[in-house]
Amino acid sequence: MRILTGIQSSGKPHLGNILGAILPAIELSKQDGNESFLFIADLHTLTSLRDGDQIRSNTLSIAAAWLAFGFDTEKNYFYRQSKLAAYHTELMWYLNCITPFPMLANAHSFKDKSAQMAQVNAGLFTYPVLQAADILLYDAELIPVGKDQRQHIEMTRDMAGTFNRMAQKDIFIIPEAAINESVMTIPGIDGNKMSKSLNNYIDIFLPEKELLKQIKKIESDSTPLEDSKNPDADITFKLFALLATAAETAEMRENYLKGGYGYGHAKQALYELMLRYFQEAREKFDFYINNPDLIEEKLAAGETKVEPIAAATLARVRSIFKF
Ligand code: ADP
Ligand code: TRP
């Protein structure tokens, strides 16, 4: 099975990206018979960020995160979309020309993002078409993403089906989304979806003191220390339960219910759990961030490896138009 997923280089990788996309994709890539295409969607990034230095630094952090969680770049494919921009954008154009305008105009993500922006650029509007090109270019079958991306994958399926019917040939594979329902949407420190753009995220690779500071900012209600608290309404508890074992979660639930256990205690426990849970990944992340040449080398090797696949798909597509 061919797995593919991308992450924008619009910020540092956060807990939501890690649990929603990075870890599920790496787990899938380890299974026998699977091969994974994991890439940095740095062309998509330009819809919201145009500062080269920031894009570069975010790219290194995201790549270091994939590597820190043990992504095997020899067996799989690891690359930047921008290094294959000619292929991605050419396919995007062909897809643009078969995509109905209302499909893009009605996309949730476009409506949400454009409502928050003072200046809405055309890239934001055609974003799902570039995403479809990312997927179809490599004949990907399974796309592990967070729940918020479901509609983009549906649109990709629509475009692939429309194109195949027009060509009267199976030019594209119709991909499926792999959405981990148990992970769903990771809440940020304010209870909304954890997101770079909302600045409500937890960066698990921060030095200890800064990580603790971020965790302490998690919002909670004003129930007094001695009172019983509702774990299911609390963000710290939700985050704790995502990482803890069933026994640890049951114990924490008991602490909340019995009273005399404050949110401060729960945050300290979450901090300790995070350090434990991510200890190895944090060490590896630091190693790669301090060795950017090694990251560069792995990406460059991946880019060489994917190019013939992209070229073959485009040849198939161009032949339909006698180009
Ligand atoms: P952000 O929303 O922070 O800008 P991206 O859009 O780059 O993050 O998302 C990269 C991947 O991480 C996508 O597959 C997305 O679904 C997943 N993801 C992002 N935020 C979350 C979250 N809060 N919960 C679960 N998955 C998430
Ligand atoms: N749009 C995705 C996001 O913001 C990132 C992305 C770009 C992607 N191209 C992709 C995800 C292709 C999966 C497959 O999260």
Side-chain angles (χ1 to χ4, degrees), residues 4-6 8 39 41 44 127 131 134-135 143 145 149 152:
L4 177 145
T5 198
Q8 293 191 61
F39 70 98
H44 280 106
Y127 183 113
Q131 183 162 350
D134 297 339
I135 296 170
I143 319 297
V145 280
Q149 294 293 314
H152 286 163

Side-chain angles (χ1 to χ4, degrees), residues 100-118:
F101 178 88
M103 179 161 122
L104 298 178
N106 291 327
H108 305 311
S109 156
F110 174 69
K111 285 195 204 160
D112 294 349
K113 286 192 184 158
S114 56
Q116 290 166 19
M117 282 180 150

Side-chain angles (χ1 to χ4, degrees), residues 157-199:
R157 291 167 58 86
D158 276 2
M159 289 177 215
T162 304
F163 200 97
N164 286 350
R165 279 191 297 281
M166 176 194 72
Q168 296 183 318
K169 266 192 197 158
D170 286 339
I171 300 287
F172 296 126
I173 288 180
I174 315 272
E176 303 241 2
I179 296 173
N180 188 341
E181 296 294 341
S182 71
V183 171
M184 306 248 277
T185 302
I186 313 297
I189 59 172
D190 58 358
N192 294 312
K193 172 190 174 259
M194 186 177 289
S195 174
K196 290 161 206 146
S197 55
L198 297 178
N199 211 1

Side-chain angles (χ1 to χ4, degrees), residues 17-79:
N17 301 143
I18 289 165
L19 299 181
I22 295 183
L23 289 178
I26 291 179
E27 273 319 302
L28 283 169
S29 73
K30 285 185 183 155
Q31 291 170 19
D32 273 353
N34 283 355
E35 53 177 3
S36 291
F37 288 61
L38 298 192
F39 70 98
I40 303 193
D42 47 1
L43 295 174
H44 280 106
T45 300
L46 302 183
T47 58
S48 61
L49 174 70
R50 266 92 45 190
D51 177 322
D53 290 337
Q54 276 188 45
I55 294 174
R56 167 91 187 143
S57 142
N58 294 340
T59 296
L60 289 174
S61 299
I62 290 165
W66 289 112
L67 296 169
F69 283 108
F71 183 57
D72 179 350
T73 58
E74 300 277 317
K75 173 187 170 203
N76 300 292
Y77 299 82
F78 185 52
Y79 54 101

Side-chain angles (χ1 to χ4, degrees), residues 58-308:
N58 294 340
T59 296
L60 289 174
S61 299
I62 290 165
W66 289 112
L67 296 169
F69 283 108
F71 183 57
D72 179 350
T73 58
E74 300 277 317
K75 173 187 170 203
N76 300 292
Y77 299 82
F78 185 52
Y79 54 101
R80 286 159 287 202
Q81 185 193 31
S82 59
K83 296 292 181 195
L84 296 129
Y87 299 100
H88 287 249
T89 57
E90 183 179 337
L91 180 55
M92 180 197 187
W93 180 254
Y94 302 139
L95 298 173
N96 262 327
C97 294
I98 56 142
T99 300
F101 178 88
M103 179 161 122
L104 298 178
N106 291 327
H108 305 311
S109 156
F110 174 69
K111 285 195 204 160
D112 294 349
K113 286 192 184 158
S114 56
Q116 290 166 19
M117 282 180 150
Q119 294 228 342
V120 178
N121 59 70
L124 203 62
F125 188 72
T126 51
Y127 183 113
V129 192
L130 181 58
Q131 183 162 350
D134 297 339
I135 296 170
L136 301 178
L137 196 51
Y138 300 101
D139 295 326
E141 297 167 271
L142 200 64
I143 319 297
V145 280
K147 214 176 145 201
D148 59 306
Q149 294 293 314
R150 191 191 295 276
Q151 196 183 35
H152 286 163
I153 312 305
E154 278 305 315
M155 290 161 102
T156 303
R157 291 167 58 86
D158 276 2
M159 289 177 215
T162 304
F163 200 97
N164 286 350
R165 279 191 297 281
M166 176 194 72
Q168 296 183 318
K169 266 192 197 158
D170 286 339
I171 300 287
F172 296 126
I173 288 180
I174 315 272
E176 303 241 2
I179 296 173
N180 188 341
E181 296 294 341
S182 71
V183 171
M184 306 248 277
T185 302
I186 313 297
I189 59 172
D190 58 358
N192 294 312
K193 172 190 174 259
M194 186 177 289
S195 174
K196 290 161 206 146
S197 55
L198 297 178
N199 211 1
N200 64 353
Y201 57 85
I202 294 179
D203 175 357
I204 63 139
F205 296 120
L206 281 177
E208 293 183 8
K209 270 193 184 149
E210 287 170 55
L211 177 62
L212 181 61
K213 229 163 116 186
Q214 253 186 9
I215 292 175
K216 283 193 173 153
K217 284 196 209 142
I218 298 173
E219 289 181 14
S220 49
D221 63 26
S222 54
T223 314
L225 178 80
E226 57 276 13
D227 289 10
S228 164
K229 299 174 183 65
N230 177 4
D232 299 315
D234 184 54
I235 305 162
T236 304
F237 180 82
K238 283 184 195 158
L239 292 172
F240 186 90
L242 282 167
L243 303 176
T245 61
E248 288 166 333
T249 306
E251 193 186 334
M252 183 58 82
R253 178 177 289 282
E254 190 49 39
N255 285 335
Y256 269 66
L257 294 173
K258 75 175 190 237
Y261 189 86
Y263 292 120
H265 298 127
K267 287 179 187 175
Q268 181 66 29
L270 174 61
Y271 165 69
E272 284 165 18
L273 175 62
M274 274 196 188
L275 287 186
R276 213 165 5 101
Y277 194 91
F278 292 120
Q279 186 198 357
E280 191 192 340
R282 284 168 56 86
E283 283 167 13
K284 285 196 183 159
F285 181 87
D286 288 344
F287 168 76
Y288 282 110
I289 278 296
N290 291 316
N291 291 282
D293 291 352
L294 207 55
I295 300 180
E296 184 64 42
E297 210 177 278
K298 288 182 187 288
L299 285 166
E303 285 144 11
T304 306
K305 214 158 77 168
V306 287
E307 183 165 3

